[in-house]
Amino acid sequence: LMLAACGANFGFRLTLPYSAGIVVGRALLQTTVVCFLGVLFMAFPGVQTALKVLGSLYLAWLSYQIATARPAEAKGADRQLGFGQAALYQFVNPKVWANTTTAVSLFVGGGDGYYARGALLVATFALVSAVANSVWTVFGVQLGRLLRSEASVRACCTQSISSRG
């Protein structure tokens, strides 16, 4: 949704650094987690099962919180995060940490080939993220065009006038 909002407000080209920062930051975080969890899983194999369960429960709880949250008050955006800010934001975003540790626990497994599977996971997430980010940004650009069109302004004003009575 942030990418759609940035696309609507700033256009596709100006949103690219933000989008790329998300992809690169997430890939760096995932690589860090893969390396750390590989060592942890070798030392304590039971931790992998615990992380699967706890990470999945946290993501389900977070989904519920988002689904039942009240809408936030809209604020105008005059600038967006840049590449570096977007990349660093991935490291402080608890949803990304939960998603990453759960994905590594579920899909990478342990034993031989752990790091190769980890690299495949990071590459797959980066590719999917880049495509999804582009889709959301294009959606936002199109939505922004629609909302700024003469017909939508006229419809909004007509609705506003007729609702006053």
Side-chain angles (χ1 to χ4, degrees), residues 135-151:
V135 169
W136 276 106
T137 304
V138 168
F139 173 72
V141 168
Q142 295 305 316
L143 188 60
R145 286 182 185 156
L146 175 69
L147 294 176
R148 284 189 290 274
S149 73
E150 196 174 308

Side-chain angles (χ1 to χ4, degrees), residues 56-71:
S56 297
L57 289 173
Y58 177 71
L59 289 173
W61 175 81
L62 210 55
S63 298
Y64 173 77
Q65 294 297 313
I66 291 169
T68 60
R70 295 180 191 255

Side-chain angles (χ1 to χ4, degrees), residues 27-66:
L28 290 172
L29 175 65
Q30 286 176 323
T31 301
T32 303
V33 169
V34 164
C35 291
F36 172 74
L37 289 182
V39 173
L40 188 64
F41 292 163
M42 286 181 213
F44 306 101
V47 170
Q48 185 173 7
T49 302
L51 281 176
K52 285 180 189 179
V53 173
L54 292 174
S56 297
L57 289 173
Y58 177 71
L59 289 173
W61 175 81
L62 210 55
S63 298
Y64 173 77
Q65 294 297 313
I66 291 169

Side-chain angles (χ1 to χ4, degrees), residues 104-127:
V104 171
S105 298
L106 287 171
F107 301 121
V108 178
D112 292 338
Y114 171 85
Y115 292 106
R117 289 189 306 277
L120 181 61
L121 176 87
V122 171
T124 301
F125 267 73
L127 177 64

